[in-house]
Amino acid sequence: MKDPQQMYLDPAIRDWVLIPIMLVMVLVGVLRHRITLMLTGTPKKPQIKAIRESKALLRGMRLRTFGRYVPLHAFDSRKEYLTKAYDEDTYLKNPDAKDNTNALTGQPNPMTDPEMMEGMMDGMKKQLVNMVPQMLIMGWINFFFQGFIVIKLPFPLTPRFKSMLQSGIDTKDMDVTWVSSLSWYFLNLFGLGSVFSLILGNNNAAGVDMNAMGGMPGMMPGMGMQPGQGPEFKKLFLAEKENILITPHVWDLEDIEVRLLKKYGKRSAITKPNPTAHTSTTSNKPKKEVSMKEKIKAAQKSNGSKRR
Amino acid sequence: MNQGQPNQQDQEAHQYVQQHVMYNGMQLQYIRSCFAAIAGSAAGILGLTNWSGFLFYGVSWSVLSALLLLKAPSPSKHFMAGWQDMVVNGAMNGLLSYILFHTLLYGLVHLYQ
């Protein structure tokens, strides 16, 4: 194990570089958070048609998931109403927006759709407010704090990182663990996210998340993709309609009286129950199915190879 | 035909009041952030380097998860999203803060004498 390089660093570095950089980043983060709050203002009220569109889709999904809780007639009437509504575009936001759709994607043009414009502007504003201070601070650090080591990393890294982490210093033999102030900046950038969530509460605009960092180098493709980003509701509605049509309905409370009696031991589990007056529609079906199944089985037994 | 009880409870697990689940999540995140900072500081002061540094993080993270799980053994009763969520979710975020505080205190204590 090679002996670790021991170096003594001037305490002045600690006082004038280490702590100030950290302080500046914390303060700039808080400032960014405040500015973002001021820029976006009160969250604007979404339009009722847009909400209705998305909630209609949710309604279809909910019917599929929780259809067990309603009896058959309720389920059927809801199914019919929803499939008719999906077909006839009653829930679409812009039923006559089919004129100015893109030839490629078939979606309304984002320039004419005002709410999507606003959404895009908000996103761009946020990105701007996040990018500019980062650039500024990086420039400031590069200008003032260049050419000396700031701190030693407690964990090892591969030599490939040397050019990135020791940006201003041109020595060959120094460990990668001795780093310059720029890497201290990066370390702070990633690590202060949770400190911001402690100070500023959740949903703060100051922390860095991996999505934003991934978006920084890929900003141009991101901008190109954004106009085609809104979900196309007509297609979603049609897909949902198909899903609803093929969903079977099994009522949770079918045979509930038998199950209850069985639970309290009043009836054996072998015999099939006699249908009572209340569950007339749903229990006629099992009777019919049983008779059909028996007929088919009898036919199969008697015919045997002839059916093949 | 016999759907019975287990299926219904399965569905109920996703039907909790969303606000309470979110509140619990926020509390958890608070705990994790504080914990990462303190553990990082401890590791820096102790002078752990290289693998023992990360090992310290792993060990203390498991201790924290064990304590949390003791407090809330059955997640469904306590309005939380499940034990895997609790343990694994914040580990990455905590790691970054841990590294920051670890480096900072290591430098402060051991380098600048």
Side-chain angles (χ1 to χ4, degrees):
Chain A
M1 195 158 140
K2 58 174 184 181
D3 57 333
Q5 295 173 345
Q6 284 276 14
M7 281 201 265
Y8 286 122
L9 297 174
D10 194 359
I13 299 184
R14 172 192 60 193
D15 293 337
W16 292 103
V17 176
L18 212 64
I19 312 271
I21 292 186
M22 201 166 182
L23 265 182
V24 163
M25 289 186 71
V26 169
L27 291 176
V28 164
V30 173
L31 193 69
R32 247 194 307 160
H33 175 64
R34 294 290 174 204
I35 290 184
T36 315
L37 278 184
M38 275 199 319
L39 272 184
T40 56
T42 60
K44 52 187 191 331
K45 287 194 287 194
Q47 287 197 344
I48 187 168
K49 287 215 168 178
I51 299 185
R52 205 171 66 141
E53 212 177 18
S54 48
K55 297 302 180 193
L57 199 64
L58 277 181
R59 195 175 163 192
M61 287 200 283
R62 240 183 301 156
L63 182 65
R64 270 189 296 132
T65 331
F66 301 120
R68 313 172 300 148
Y69 295 132
V70 289
L72 187 68
H73 58 90
F75 184 82
D76 272 344
S77 68
R78 280 174 179 82
K79 183 162 89 169
E80 216 177 282
Y81 173 72
L82 275 180
T83 49
K84 194 166 71 101
Y86 288 156
D87 258 341
E88 293 175 4
D89 293 345
T90 40
Y91 284 125
L92 271 188
K93 191 166 47 175
N94 299 329
D96 43 278
K98 297 189 187 113
D99 302 334
N100 47 1
T101 55
N102 268 338
L104 290 172
T105 60
Q107 289 188 18
N109 203 352
M111 293 303 163
T112 60
D113 199 7
E115 305 111 28
M116 271 217 268
M117 250 328 244
E118 282 177 33
M120 268 167 55
M121 286 304 293
D122 262 347
M124 272 167 34
K125 265 190 267 182
K126 268 197 186 170
Q127 268 185 336
L128 204 66
V129 170
N130 271 339
M131 286 309 135
V132 166
Q134 282 181 7
M135 299 293 163
L136 280 179
I137 296 186
M138 248 197 283
W140 175 66
I141 290 186
N142 260 335
F143 180 67
F144 279 112
F145 302 120
Q146 206 181 25
F148 54 87
I149 307 175
V150 167
I151 202 170
K152 179 174 193 274
L153 291 179
F155 47 87
L157 287 172
T158 61
R160 275 186 306 141
F161 285 100
K162 200 164 163 158
S163 59
M164 187 173 88
L165 296 180
Q166 290 176 354
S167 51
I169 312 159
D170 295 324
T171 61
K172 278 196 222 157
D173 292 330
M174 200 158 51
D175 270 343
V176 192
T177 52
W178 297 96
V179 291
S180 68
S181 47
L182 198 63
S183 63
W184 175 240
Y185 165 73
F186 277 124
L187 208 65
N188 268 322
L189 196 63
F190 290 128
L192 282 178
S194 63
V195 173
F196 283 137
S197 73
L198 281 180
I199 308 179
L200 300 170
N202 265 351
N203 294 336
N204 62 75
V208 166
D209 48 353
M210 289 305 150
N211 308 331
M213 289 305 284
M216 201 160 65
M219 213 154 113
M220 278 319 286
M223 295 302 227
M225 260 182 53
Q226 240 180 353
Q229 202 186 16
E232 198 183 310
F233 274 104
K234 177 70 182 166
K235 276 192 195 159
L236 290 175
F237 280 164
L238 287 180
E240 192 62 35
K241 185 185 82 154
E242 308 247 340
N243 284 341
I244 293 184
L245 281 176
I246 65 176
T247 313
H249 176 251
V250 186
W251 194 28
D252 262 352
L253 294 184
E254 207 166 327
D255 282 0
I256 185 66
E257 62 276 352
V258 180
R259 294 213 297 263
L260 194 65
L261 290 176
K262 261 191 274 181
K263 183 175 169 185
Y264 290 112
K266 301 285 182 198
R267 180 189 285 279
S268 64
I270 309 176
T271 61
K272 204 108 176 89
N274 288 326
T276 62
H278 295 291
T279 63
S280 52
T281 54
T282 56
S283 58
N284 268 340
K285 274 189 191 165
K287 254 185 126 183
K288 277 189 199 160
E289 278 170 10
V290 162
S291 57
M292 278 301 295
K293 273 186 200 167
E294 282 179 359
K295 278 190 197 167
I296 293 178
K297 273 188 199 161
Q300 271 180 338
K301 275 188 202 159
S302 65
N303 289 349
S305 58
K306 266 194 195 170
R307 272 184 69 84
R308 302 272 170 86
Chain B
M1 272 305 219
N2 269 350
Q3 280 155 2
Q5 297 305 316
N7 201 3
Q8 281 178 354
Q9 265 183 6
D10 214 19
Q11 289 284 331
E12 269 175 41
H14 301 288
Q15 290 172 25
Y16 288 127
V17 180
Q18 194 61 23
Q19 253 182 332
H20 292 174
V21 174
M22 263 174 50
Y23 178 74
N24 281 348
M26 270 165 47
Q27 296 293 85
L28 270 181
Q29 198 173 351
Y30 185 77
I31 295 177
R32 283 198 288 247
S33 318
C34 288
F35 177 75
I38 295 178
S41 318
I45 295 179
L46 282 177
L48 301 174
T49 61
N50 303 344
W51 289 112
S52 51
F54 288 121
L55 196 65
F56 187 76
Y57 181 65
V59 163
S60 46
W61 190 258
S62 336
V63 167
L64 177 72
S65 325
L67 284 177
L68 281 178
L69 283 177
L70 268 181
K71 176 82 179 137
S74 66
S76 57
K77 261 198 335 182
H78 292 260
F79 280 108
M80 280 200 277
W83 64 275
Q84 263 167 348
D85 213 11
M86 268 197 296
V87 170
V88 177
N89 213 359
M92 275 301 122
N93 268 340
L95 188 67
L96 289 173
S97 303
Y98 175 82
I99 292 181
L100 174 68
F101 279 95
H102 185 23
T103 310
L104 176 68
L105 282 181
Y106 182 77
L108 280 182
V109 169
H110 288 268
L111 290 183
Y112 294 97
Q113 265 128 9

